[in-house]
Amino acid sequence: NVLIAEETLIALEAERASIAEQLRAAERNFELGTATITDTYEAQARYDLVEAQMLQGQNVLQIQRDQLGKLIGMAPGELAKLPPDTEVPAPVPNRIEDWVAQAEQQNLQVLEARMVAALAERGIEMARAGHYPQLSIVGSYGQNNSRFHPDSNQVARGIGNGRATTSSGTIALRLEIPIFQGGLVQSQVREAVAVQQEARYGYDGSRRDAIQATRAAFLGVRSGLAQIRALRAGEASSRKALEANQTGYEVGVRINLDVLSAQEQLFATQRDLAQARYNALLSSLELKRAAGQLTLDDISALNQLLQFRTR
């Protein structure tokens, strides 16, 4: 978003400079008597309009930079940009069916919903186990300390009053057969079935969402690439049209408004082209995210496409 805002502002600055040159030419021609004052008014109006657009563009850029700073925890400095001649890569594989199949199996939300559904299925089995007999092993162990008084023989042997310690332990198997628990188990089973049904609906919904997001992202990349090709052709045509109108204005076969309109068309095409290129890159990341294929290597590969521009 910051890069798109910067590209928009750069295009507006170039448009303002071009209109300013056209304004000076209109004023000069008016002084020479070869043009009317209308040409000057038209150029001045376009110049003022671009000035207003630049103020709005500066505000948008500052807002986007503030949001980026909030994400990274510091004020962002100069950002690397996508060079004009860089080709946006097409998705690999280039078939929407392959990406949809990956999304159904690898999308993170789908995987999470699948695990939740599996746990809910186990919950039904656990609830139904309340009807089953339960066999358990139980045991106990204890010691008993008691005082005793010696008999005559113990006295003769010199044994006086003392304490005796005895130990005992038991171990047993216990079988419990549930007969009636007031409908508790049936209620728990019904609740587990409802939870499992909800989890299944959640899984189906997550799978459909993943398919929809994958298809939308794939179509976004494909349409973005087509838009980039069309806008590049449009930029070349708009540039030639501007040159032709400027030449026609100089020789008197075109009016100033024709030149201004050609300028506006050229720079609008350049702004749209810059936005289309960045949007196509974002769509490629969104496609891999939706399919559960996004890794740090993908971020690094995209980052390598960006370069700092020399001034």
Side-chain angles (χ1 to χ4, degrees), residues 29-59:
N29 291 336
F30 174 72
E31 293 174 357
L32 295 175
T34 58
T36 65
I37 192 62
T38 303
D39 290 347
T40 302
Y41 290 158
E42 289 173 346
Q44 185 65 54
R46 290 294 179 94
Y47 185 88
D48 295 338
L49 178 61
V50 172
E51 279 281 349
Q53 292 175 341
M54 284 192 61
L55 292 175
Q56 181 182 7
Q58 290 169 354
N59 291 336

Side-chain angles (χ1 to χ4, degrees), residues 150-167:
D151 56 22
S152 58
N153 293 327
Q154 291 174 327
V155 172
R157 292 197 302 269
I159 300 177
N161 294 337
R163 302 183 68 87
T165 301
T166 58
S167 301

Side-chain angles (χ1 to χ4, degrees), residues 53-117:
Q53 292 175 341
M54 284 192 61
L55 292 175
Q56 181 182 7
Q58 290 169 354
N59 291 336
V60 172
L61 176 58
Q62 186 59 52
I63 291 172
Q64 298 297 344
R65 288 182 65 86
D66 290 343
Q67 292 181 352
L68 178 59
K70 181 179 179 181
L71 287 174
I72 65 177
M74 65 180 69
E78 182 183 0
L79 302 182
K81 298 178 176 61
L82 191 65
D85 56 347
T86 301
E87 294 292 335
V88 177
V92 179
N94 202 7
R95 294 178 67 252
I96 192 171
E97 294 81 6
D98 296 334
W99 286 98
V100 168
Q102 292 180 8
E104 289 184 287
Q105 299 299 323
Q106 300 297 327
N107 179 273
L108 296 182
Q109 283 71 33
V110 172
L111 292 177
E112 179 184 5
R114 186 183 300 161
M115 287 187 289
V116 170

